[in-house]
Amino acid sequence: MDISNGNWTSLIYRNHKSSDFGIYIRWPFTLTHAIPDYNKSHINGRNGDFIQDEGSYQNVTETFDIIAFKPSKYPSQFEYEAAITQWLQGNDYDYLKVEKFSSYVFEAIVDSSYTLNWDENDPNQATGQLIFDCKPFYKRTDGIYYQPLPQSQEVYNTEKVPAIPDWHFVCKGDFTLTVNEFPYEFNGITGDIWLDGDGNARSVQNGDYTTLLNSHILLANNTAPYIGPKSNNTIAITSGAENVTKAEYRPNWGRLI
């Protein structure tokens, strides 16, 4: 089958391209959209249902139709399929990028087996499907890596949903991070501290998140900082800046699938 006609592309997952395994996905693919969590109730005699919006969305299952060409380095179909399984295996979400949709990534995990249907006339070619369970929001690729806090102390969120960043500081002593006039206090910190979007603060040793440091932080409204949608936002270290030698954040810009 000719894959040079623009109807096929690669995806990147767990540090490998699907083309490393001779796998290409059909483009464009049919996108499954996120479903909001609503609680609906009805009262007889009243037209229409009452709707309670829980403010959350369910995961989506994204299915990619594929064509596979077994590379010659795999002597058998068995060894080839074993290598694909090893590639896809993981117990947590990872970024999934479609090369022709490279501005955003899915956060995905495989929880359903892929399928390969081998061509009866060609033992090195197959068709099938890759199936991923994905969080309900894309992440924009310019916001999935740590970057310095904005020098202007302002950042504009172009997306329609709030961004909930992850934060990283290297410091000795106390300091206050202020986001949109809300203060977030860090006290008695020595070395690295990482604050995630769930409001948990940890230190890192040898690349592993170790000691929980929640007792050293005071969060405004007991929630992690967020960046408002379609608006200008202010981010600054407003006290104790002399104690901070590194300040960076991962914005996590996103949009609903």
Side-chain angles (χ1 to χ4, degrees):
M1 180 179 291
D2 181 16
I3 61 170
S4 62
N5 57 12
N7 294 330
W8 302 90
T9 188
S10 298
L11 56 79
I12 303 171
Y13 185 65
R14 300 203 186 283
N15 300 316
H16 285 284
K17 286 186 176 183
S18 61
S19 56
D20 294 341
F21 300 88
I23 294 174
Y24 301 87
I25 67 169
R26 185 177 294 280
W27 175 264
F29 60 92
T30 301
L31 190 64
T32 301
H33 299 283
I35 299 174
D37 290 318
Y38 288 146
N39 285 322
K40 297 194 295 185
S41 58
H42 182 72
I43 297 176
N44 291 339
R46 181 187 184 278
N47 293 321
D49 293 337
F50 288 102
I51 296 178
Q52 175 67 41
D53 184 359
E54 300 297 337
S56 57
Y57 292 83
Q58 302 173 26
N59 271 19
V60 296
T61 299
E62 301 296 349
T63 301
F64 300 92
D65 293 327
I66 65 172
I67 186 169
F69 304 94
K70 182 176 71 66
S72 59
K73 66 180 178 180
Y74 300 107
S76 67
Q77 294 175 355
F78 176 87
E79 290 170 285
Y80 178 55
E81 293 188 22
I84 296 172
T85 300
Q86 184 73 16
W87 163 45
L88 297 174
Q89 182 181 2
N91 58 8
D92 201 356
Y93 293 98
D94 205 343
Y95 294 132
L96 169 66
K97 180 190 289 186
V98 177
E99 287 201 307
K100 287 191 175 182
F101 184 58
S102 58
S103 296
Y104 290 84
V105 293
F106 299 92
E107 291 185 277
I109 190 170
V110 174
D111 67 354
S112 299
S113 177
Y114 66 89
T115 61
L116 281 181
N117 304 305
W118 290 98
D119 191 319
E120 294 181 357
N121 300 314
D122 185 346
N124 296 316
Q125 184 171 315
T127 58
Q129 291 183 327
L130 295 178
I131 304 172
F132 295 90
D133 184 50
C134 303
K135 290 185 178 182
F137 289 87
Y138 303 115
K139 291 289 181 65
R140 207 169 73 208
T141 51
D142 65 349
I144 62 175
Y145 303 105
Y146 281 95
Q147 51 200 266
L149 301 188
Q151 289 187 348
S152 66
Q153 300 186 353
E154 294 185 349
V155 63
Y156 189 85
N157 181 5
T158 62
E159 304 291 351
K160 293 183 178 180
V161 296
I164 304 177
D166 301 308
W167 308 82
H168 173 226
F169 304 95
V170 180
C171 57
K172 186 175 182 179
D174 305 340
F175 69 95
T176 300
L177 170 71
T178 301
V179 180
N180 293 327
E181 300 184 358
F182 288 101
Y184 302 87
E185 299 178 15
F186 297 76
N187 302 305
I189 306 299
T190 301
D192 290 83
I193 184 168
W194 305 75
L195 176 66
D196 64 29
D198 293 322
N200 293 313
R202 291 180 172 85
S203 64
V204 175
Q205 189 173 17
N206 298 325
D208 295 324
Y209 289 92
T210 54
T211 308
L212 193 65
L213 297 176
N214 287 357
S215 61
H216 291 259
I217 62 174
L218 183 61
L219 303 179
N221 300 319
N222 291 318
T223 59
Y226 74 92
I227 300 175
K230 287 291 183 181
S231 63
N232 205 39
N233 296 262
T234 57
I235 301 174
I237 296 176
T238 51
S239 70
E242 67 279 4
N243 298 327
V244 180
T245 57
K246 187 174 187 177
E248 58 184 1
Y249 75 137
R250 180 166 56 191
N252 294 322
W253 313 119
R255 63 170 54 178
L256 187 65
I257 295 176

